[in-house]
Amino acid sequence: MKLYVKKKIPLTWSMNPSHPWGTFRNVRSSESPSSDSTEPAGETFVQSVVSEQKQEIPYEIIYSSIVVGSCILIFLLIATLLFIKRRRSKNDEKSGSILVYPSSQGNTAHFLTKEIHFSLPPLRSSSMGNLNEPCVEESDVDTECLLLPTTHNQRSNSFSCYGLGIIEPALYKSTLDLDEIQWPEGHIGRLWFSLRYEPSTEKLLVSLLKAKNLPSRTVGTVNSCDPFVRLHLLPDERRYLQSKQKKKTCNPYFDETLVFQVSCKEMSERILKLTVIDGGRTKKRCEIGHVTYVLGELDFGDGSEQQLFKMDLEKEPHEMRSDLGELLISLLYNENLNRLSATVIEARRLKFQGDKHEAYVRITLNQNYRGVKEKRTRIARPSRDGEVTFAEGFNFKLAPTQVDISSLAFHVFQATSGYDKLIGKCVLGSYMFARGKALDQWNIAISNPMEQRQEWHSLCE
């Protein structure tokens, strides 16, 4: 017969919650190795350990949760207060109310307002009279006249001294010209410009202002034009100044100032030519019209005054007459024979010096500014009308490849007993050597072989 002795084993737990099973292992190692006696005790011990663990509370997790939640609430509260404050400030700015505070000196009131950026019209004595004097004009309504405050140490609460509500007739005066409403038939445009000459610096300042009623490339539209202005000082047409191009407008505003360097002596001999060009047209039809002005008629004074001009455009510029005379020349080009025929027909209004009035013409074929061949007419005398008739033709070899580098120079001399005196000259050739009518006659003769064309050309020095 076996006897079972139950022995109570004291449980000693460590207070360290991080190692709850360390003591359990120590207790198990000290138990009896008998399996029959330890099984019930082991089950009871495990149940007691589990129950002890369930009763423990994780205080550190609870503390950390409380701290995080408090921070979030504080942040939300601050953000809400800032939002409300910003919204109130915006409403105050929009309202723009005026606060009135009583004055400690008397019954007058001071107006304290926020700064508002605006400008008041200037005081007009013609429309309001003297502001310091009471109004004298009669009125149907019994109102007191406003007086300016005599003291300057306080702000005025009335803006009546600036004449608000009073109409100034000059501001509403119509500046529209009747000529701009009804343009004449065949009108091709009008140009506004101003001139000023500075004698001290010898500068001619041409200010381009605007142009109106320029023809449009497309019928019925007002924006099919890309204009710009080209300026020449005749008789020199090789050098020019040019404005900026304006896109898609028949009424452009240029607002540019172009400067020519001209001496006082040359001012009386030069002619200003302004050509309006449409950059969107073909090269042959790009010129809309011309305006010419004789600079000798300009009264420049000391150079401080600027004179304004308004002139209509013309299809062809005014022909500039030279004091030296004119020469009638005919050109004919034979493409098959590579031959250029130049005929000197006659001259008129030649400026002779002395009593012996006899003249002849010397013709020089130049290539790259170098004389290749030279010929001359016979000596002729003027008729009663003052015209000198030559009627002589000359032939020059000119291949198509040499057209762009060639030119014909016509020099008119006065035959004297000593040295012959040069009266004047004119040059016909390509774009490198000629401009205006001289260039046009050369291009037409070359592009239309076997067609004779003659033109009068002014002589220059």
Side-chain angles (χ1 to χ4, degrees):
M1 184 175 181
K2 295 182 180 180
L3 297 176
Y4 294 94
V5 180
K6 292 182 180 180
K7 186 179 179 181
K8 292 183 179 180
I9 303 172
L11 298 176
T12 58
W13 287 87
S14 173
M15 296 305 293
N16 189 3
S18 61
H19 300 286
W21 298 102
T23 307
F24 176 73
R25 287 194 296 267
N26 295 334
V27 173
R28 292 289 294 178
S29 62
S30 62
E31 289 183 353
S32 174
S34 174
S35 62
D36 296 333
S37 62
T38 58
E39 284 181 1
E43 291 176 0
T44 306
F45 180 75
V46 170
Q47 292 175 358
S48 63
V49 169
V50 172
S51 62
E52 290 292 336
Q53 286 183 344
K54 288 181 178 179
Q55 294 176 2
E56 269 190 45
I57 299 173
Y59 294 102
E60 294 182 356
I61 297 175
I62 294 175
Y63 292 154
S64 61
S65 300
I66 293 172
V67 172
V68 172
S70 302
C71 293
I72 293 174
L73 289 176
I74 294 172
F75 176 76
L76 292 176
L77 182 61
I78 294 173
T80 304
L81 292 175
L82 291 175
F83 177 76
I84 295 172
K85 186 177 180 181
R86 183 176 296 179
R87 192 162 186 176
R88 286 182 179 178
S89 63
K90 287 184 179 179
N91 293 335
D92 293 341
E93 290 179 359
K94 291 182 179 179
S95 62
S97 59
I98 301 177
L99 301 178
V100 182
Y101 293 92
S103 175
S104 59
Q105 298 177 359
N107 296 326
T108 58
H110 293 278
F111 286 79
L112 300 180
T113 62
K114 293 185 178 181
E115 185 179 359
I116 301 175
H117 297 283
F118 67 97
S119 60
L120 293 173
L123 292 173
R124 299 181 180 273
S125 58
S126 60
S127 60
M128 294 193 64
N130 191 359
L131 296 175
N132 292 324
E133 296 179 359
C135 299
V136 184
E137 297 181 358
E138 296 181 357
S139 176
D140 297 336
V141 183
D142 295 336
T143 57
E144 295 182 357
C145 298
L146 296 176
L147 298 178
L148 285 176
T150 55
T151 58
H152 301 281
N153 56 354
Q154 60 184 10
R155 295 184 181 179
S156 173
N157 56 359
S158 175
F159 296 101
S160 61
C161 60
Y162 290 95
L164 294 179
I166 296 176
I167 297 176
E168 183 67 34
L171 298 177
Y172 299 92
K173 186 178 180 181
S174 177
T175 58
L176 186 62
D177 194 355
L178 294 177
D179 295 339
E180 299 178 9
I181 301 177
Q182 298 178 353
W183 301 101
E185 186 178 357
H187 191 264
I188 59 174
R190 183 172 294 169
L191 185 64
W192 281 259
F193 65 96
S194 63
L195 298 177
R196 181 166 64 92
Y197 182 73
E198 298 178 355
S200 58
T201 58
E202 295 186 346
K203 290 183 179 179
L204 176 64
L205 289 83
V206 184
S207 298
L208 299 175
L209 304 178
K210 62 180 179 179
K212 284 192 175 183
N213 197 36
L214 298 180
S216 179
R217 296 190 298 271
T218 306
V219 179
T221 61
V222 293
N223 57 359
S224 295
C225 187
D226 304 324
F228 63 92
V229 183
R230 186 173 291 172
L231 294 82
H232 298 84
L233 283 183
L234 302 180
D236 184 12
E237 293 193 55
R238 297 187 60 186
R239 292 176 291 182
Y240 62 86
L241 298 177
Q242 184 171 297
S243 70
K244 294 180 181 178
Q245 187 177 16
K246 304 299 177 180
K247 295 288 186 178
K248 296 182 179 181
T249 176
C250 294
N251 303 298
Y253 286 85
F254 297 102
D255 194 17
E256 293 184 49
T257 300
L258 306 175
V259 181
F260 286 98
Q261 197 72 33
V262 189
S263 64
C264 296
K265 181 180 179 181
E266 293 178 345
M267 280 290 293
S268 59
E269 303 173 355
R270 296 299 184 100
I271 296 178
L272 177 64
K273 175 185 174 184
L274 299 94
T275 304
V276 181
I277 301 173
D278 184 1
R281 298 175 184 262
T282 58
K283 190 173 182 180
K284 292 183 179 180
R285 300 180 180 179
C286 63
E287 294 184 354
I288 298 176
H290 311 269
V291 168
T292 55
Y293 180 78
V294 180
L295 296 179
E297 300 176 359
L298 180 64
D299 184 14
F300 47 83
D302 58 350
S304 59
E305 296 182 0
Q306 196 168 11
Q307 300 184 28
L308 179 64
F309 298 92
K310 179 178 67 174
M311 304 179 69
D312 290 335
L313 299 179
E314 297 181 356
K315 281 288 185 182
E316 297 292 335
H318 287 294
E319 188 173 346
M320 186 186 65
R321 288 193 171 187
S322 174
D323 296 336
L324 303 178
E326 295 176 306
L327 189 64
L328 182 60
I329 301 171
S330 173
L331 288 182
L332 176 66
Y333 182 64
N334 191 332
E335 190 177 15
N336 297 327
L337 301 177
N338 295 336
R339 185 176 66 191
L340 178 65
S341 300
T343 304
V344 181
I345 301 175
E346 62 178 344
R348 63 185 180 187
R349 297 188 295 104
L350 294 180
K351 188 177 181 180
F352 290 105
Q353 296 180 4
D355 298 333
K356 190 176 182 181
H357 293 179
E358 295 179 350
Y360 67 91
V361 181
R362 187 178 68 192
I363 309 171
T364 307
L365 175 64
N366 297 317
Q367 292 181 355
N368 290 328
Y369 296 100
R370 182 179 179 183
V372 176
K373 194 172 183 180
E374 182 178 300
K375 296 183 179 181
R376 56 171 290 179
T377 65
R378 58 180 178 84
I379 298 176
R381 293 182 178 180
S383 62
R384 293 180 179 179
D385 299 334
E387 298 179 354
V388 182
T389 304
F390 298 100
E392 293 187 42
F394 306 93
N395 297 325
F396 299 92
K397 278 286 184 180
L398 185 64
T401 57
Q402 300 173 336
V403 170
D404 294 335
I405 61 173
S406 302
S407 64
L408 282 177
F410 298 82
H411 295 80
V412 181
F413 289 90
Q414 179 181 358
T416 59
S417 56
Y419 294 99
D420 296 339
K421 297 180 180 179
L422 176 65
I423 299 176
K425 67 175 182 178
C426 62
V427 179
L428 279 65
S430 62
Y431 186 80
M432 188 184 300
F433 309 98
R435 294 290 186 275
K437 292 196 303 181
L439 175 63
D440 294 340
Q441 185 178 3
W442 178 272
N443 290 335
I444 292 173
I446 299 299
S447 58
N448 300 284
M450 304 305 298
E451 290 186 12
Q452 191 172 9
R453 182 179 177 86
Q454 60 184 20
E455 288 284 350
W456 283 99
H457 297 278
S458 300
L459 300 179
C460 60
E461 294 180 356

